[in-house]
Amino acid sequence: DAGVIQSPRHEVTEMGQEVTLRCKPISGHNSLFWYRQTMMRGLELLIYFNNNVPIDDSGMPEDRFSAKMPNASFSTLKIQPSEPRDSAVYFCASSLEPSGVFSSYEQYFGPGTRLTVT
Amino acid sequence: KNEVEQSPQNLTAQEGEFITINCSYSVGISALHWLQQHPGGGIVSLFMLSSGKKKHGRLIATINIQEKHSSLHITASHPRDSAVYICAVTTPQGGSEKLVFGKGTKLTVNP
């Protein structure tokens, strides 16, 4: 298997623009997670899906952020409008978790998307 | 105070040394995770444990639920072990679960 695939790997955009990050989880995995990593705050969970349904989006910083999972093999994280403080590395991960919790199966991380908003 | 604290923040060792990274947490947990982030940025899940001890190659993870403490040990360290090691806990919250991360420990192993 190719592992979790994220695109683009790097994104540079200007403040106010819309940004869409993409993720393809490992085939057969039931849960998908979006994380953000910054120097100041470290890794933070933004949202996670189980069987394509959003389970917990309490980590999404504000209404400018939205995530979708239209099918089992694709998810997007959108920021509109983007701001310089959104600059970070965004990771997607997937696991076999059957019920949307974190306690039973390890997560497999994608390579991340480095976002720079100028 | 962070719910998950790691120590030390930075650690430099010589090849072959025995290394210990510590993680303390202040919340009830259902599982604790150790992750490794390579210098290139990739993240790998090393261990997930809720009690006792797990071993994988030269890596050993232990957890003491009563003391709310976990350690990650690396035996016979090697320069390729240089990475950031991140501790995270799964904590029950309102019928669901929350995942809380420590800030990481940066390990450098010199040849």
Side-chain angles (χ1 to χ4, degrees):
Chain A
D1 199 313
V4 176
I5 298 172
Q6 290 187 247
S7 65
R9 294 293 306 275
H10 302 272
E11 176 81 35
V12 180
T13 191
E14 291 184 348
M15 184 173 66
Q17 296 297 306
E18 177 179 296
V19 174
T20 299
L21 311 182
R22 296 172 176 80
C23 175
K24 176 177 166 53
I26 292 173
S27 177
H29 279 192
N30 302 305
S31 292
L32 182 141
F33 310 82
W34 281 102
Y35 295 95
R36 178 173 69 175
Q37 186 178 40
T38 61
M39 289 292 291
M40 289 296 294
R41 299 171 68 93
L43 261 174
E44 301 172 282
L45 176 65
L46 300 178
I47 184 171
Y48 71 94
F49 295 83
N50 180 247
N51 294 322
N52 313 338
V53 175
I55 302 299
D56 185 353
D57 65 355
S58 59
M60 296 285 260
E62 48 197 274
D63 291 346
R64 298 183 297 106
F65 285 69
S66 63
K68 293 182 179 179
M69 192 164 186
N71 57 62
S73 59
F74 183 65
S75 177
T76 59
L77 178 67
K78 187 176 293 187
I79 309 173
Q80 165 64 15
S82 58
E83 296 182 4
R85 61 193 166 118
D86 301 330
S87 297
V89 180
Y90 291 81
F91 288 98
C92 176
S94 70
S95 82
L96 285 166
E97 287 288 356
S99 56
V101 296
F102 306 99
S103 310
S104 304
Y105 293 91
E106 68 175 303
Q107 295 185 24
Y108 293 82
F109 285 77
T113 295
R114 182 173 294 278
L115 173 65
T116 303
V117 183
T118 60
Chain B
K1 188 181 187 297
N2 293 331
E3 292 170 305
V4 180
E5 296 275 1
Q6 288 186 237
S7 63
Q9 279 187 293
N10 293 282
L11 180 57
T12 300
Q14 288 300 122
E15 184 173 356
E17 286 184 0
F18 180 85
I19 288 162
T20 296
I21 299 171
N22 297 298
C23 176
S24 296
Y25 51 91
S26 56
V27 293
I29 70 167
S30 46
L32 183 140
H33 311 255
W34 282 103
L35 308 172
Q36 179 192 53
Q37 186 166 27
H38 298 290
I43 297 176
V44 174
S45 176
L46 296 175
F47 295 104
M48 182 168 54
L49 65 166
S50 54
S51 65
K53 175 178 167 178
K54 286 191 175 180
K55 185 175 188 291
H56 185 252
R58 294 179 295 106
L59 274 59
I60 303 166
T62 64
I63 188 168
N64 185 318
I65 299 294
Q66 287 72 32
E67 294 186 4
K68 296 190 173 179
H69 181 267
S70 175
S71 293
L72 177 67
H73 305 287
I74 305 175
T75 61
S77 61
H78 191 276
R80 65 175 176 266
D81 298 324
S82 298
V84 175
Y85 292 83
I86 301 169
C87 173
V89 299
T90 306
T91 179
Q93 185 180 55
S96 180
E97 290 189 330
K98 183 176 131 181
L99 192 58
V100 182
F101 292 90
K103 290 288 180 8
T105 294
K106 184 176 180 181
L107 171 65
T108 302
V109 182
N110 293 318

